[in-house]
Amino acid sequence: MTEIPRLTSLAHGGGCGCKLDPATLRQLLAAQPVAGPFERLLVGNETSDDAAVWELDDGTCVIATTDFFTPMVDDPVDFGRIAATNAISDVYAMGGRPLLALAILGMPVGKIAPEMVAQILRGGAEKCAEAGIPVAGGHSIDAPEPIYGLAVIGTCRREAVRRNADALAGDAVILTKALGVGVYSAAIKHAALDPSGYGDFIATTTLLNRIGPELAGEPAVHALTDVTGFGILGHGLELARGAGLTLALDADALPLLPRAEALVQEGFVTGASHRNWAAFGGDVDLPDGFSDWRRHLLTDPQTSGGLLVTCAADRADAILQRIRASGYLSAARIGRMEAGPARIRVHV
């Protein structure tokens, strides 16, 4: 009887941890022309944002994005669900609502059974249905590693568009989901995560960021992005660079998955965490005596992570309560935007 291979054994990395590292990506993008001049292109490749935004004649905007990756779990349905949730998040992070999706599929023919591929697609379709959108088509190829994701189209009104570059000095910073997904995925790859931990992992990675358009309807919310492969430091630094401000990050306030601290101290750290620190650690000020394991959690790549929100400080508590009431129970106020150089200053 032929043994069915673990999905994670067919890929060199998994989830958003297999993204190109920030330094390499910046080098590649620096050689590309800015996507302009097009008057209707409100958001292009100039701000490291989550999706492109194009304005139509009546003030309605089209949001377009794509996201795909290799497996971080062995259950094919769960892989499909996580990948779809992650891809749809980019539309929510711009303040929009998704309309439809197209599947992106690459599978190593001969190494994976068609029935398993069908389960991956089923998992993705289930999350799209939960988001209220169809998978209206797609494209597939024979690839050396399993790859799945979506291209997603959404819409919003022009006034609802939220970029990652529009934070204001004095803004409070809120994170809507707990950190530690990369640490958990490293444990999964080594079969070291118990069923309870796996349940926590699936619960957070398949929780749709549908609070995004609701937050975009709040004038006090100035900037939005989602936290994915570059970790809280990398995506926080995008906020700081975009606004030309310092992000003061309270390490003790960061929400963590229940076993994240224990697992990272046991050595479950992804290669992406090291690459992330190498790429942008020079723009981060850590307090004296800050331990390596805590730093690894700051650079831990998140797959289908939470939204990073900046808002007027006097509305922060009410906005945080609204987020938690919408089902994001780990949401926390984690810092503030301050006048100063485009850096992150971590404090405890």
Side-chain angles (χ1 to χ4, degrees):
M1 182 175 179
T2 302
E3 184 178 353
I4 299 174
R6 294 177 61 194
L7 268 177
T8 53
S9 73
L10 298 174
H12 72 287
C16 287
C18 66
K19 291 172 68 171
L20 290 178
D21 70 83
T24 300
L25 185 60
R26 291 182 70 186
Q27 181 181 0
L28 292 174
L29 292 178
Q32 303 302 310
V34 175
F38 295 94
E39 289 184 1
R40 295 183 183 274
L41 184 64
L42 303 187
V43 182
N45 60 4
E46 67 283 347
T47 56
S48 301
D49 246 304
D50 299 294
V53 181
W54 184 275
E55 184 180 16
L56 301 177
D57 290 336
D58 62 353
T60 297
C61 295
V62 175
I63 303 171
T65 184
T66 182
D67 212 317
F68 53 88
F69 45 63
T70 52
M72 60 192 307
V73 294
D74 294 312
D75 184 291
V77 175
D78 284 346
F79 173 38
R81 294 168 67 212
I82 294 167
T85 304
N86 179 76
I88 298 168
S89 178
D90 287 341
V91 171
Y92 292 138
M94 300 303 301
R97 300 183 188 278
L99 284 180
L100 61 87
L102 303 174
I104 299 167
L105 180 69
M107 288 293 142
V109 175
K111 295 182 180 179
I112 183 170
E115 295 80 9
M116 186 175 286
V117 178
Q119 290 178 320
I120 295 170
L121 295 173
R122 190 185 87 206
E126 286 177 1
K127 291 311 293 188
C128 286
E130 184 181 335
I133 64 173
V135 180
H139 186 66
S140 60
I141 62 168
D142 182 0
E145 296 183 334
I147 297 169
Y148 176 68
L150 302 173
V152 188
I153 302 298
T155 62
C156 70
R157 298 293 298 173
R158 177 173 181 141
E159 59 271 17
V161 174
R162 290 296 185 274
R163 304 189 307 161
N164 65 4
D166 294 329
L168 301 178
D171 275 359
V173 181
I174 294 170
L175 177 63
T176 65
K177 289 187 187 182
L179 301 173
V181 170
V183 170
Y184 273 53
S185 67
I188 290 170
K189 198 169 182 76
H190 291 84
L193 189 65
D194 61 27
S196 175
Y198 187 77
D200 291 335
F201 173 87
I202 294 298
T204 189
T205 54
T206 61
L207 177 61
L208 292 165
N209 282 326
R210 62 197 331 158
I211 189 68
E214 294 182 33
L215 294 173
E218 167 67 68
V221 171
H222 302 137
L224 279 175
T225 192
D226 59 357
V227 180
T228 55
F230 301 153
I232 187 67
L233 286 188
H235 295 284
L237 192 56
E238 289 177 346
L239 288 179
R241 287 171 173 164
L245 298 171
T246 294
L247 167 55
L249 192 65
D250 183 353
D252 291 337
L254 292 171
L256 300 175
L257 291 172
R259 292 199 59 203
E261 286 191 15
L263 288 170
V264 75
Q265 290 184 76
E266 291 171 21
F268 292 106
V269 178
T270 67
S273 180
H274 295 288
R275 293 192 298 272
N276 284 342
W277 181 252
F280 50 69
D283 292 321
V284 178
D285 300 317
L286 297 177
D288 292 339
F290 200 75
S291 60
D292 285 344
W293 70 262
R294 294 194 78 179
R295 176 173 63 78
H296 286 314
L297 287 171
L298 297 182
T299 55
D300 187 53
Q302 305 305 289
T303 299
S304 193
L307 296 178
L308 199 52
V309 185
T310 83
C311 64
D314 61 356
R315 290 284 300 149
D317 289 343
I319 290 170
L320 179 58
Q321 289 177 12
R322 180 178 179 183
I323 293 169
R324 289 175 175 168
S326 296
Y328 305 87
L329 303 182
S330 298
R333 187 169 174 172
I334 64 168
R336 61 188 179 277
M337 305 302 297
E338 299 178 343
R343 299 179 60 82
I344 293 182
R345 178 173 53 82
V346 177
H347 60 92
V348 292

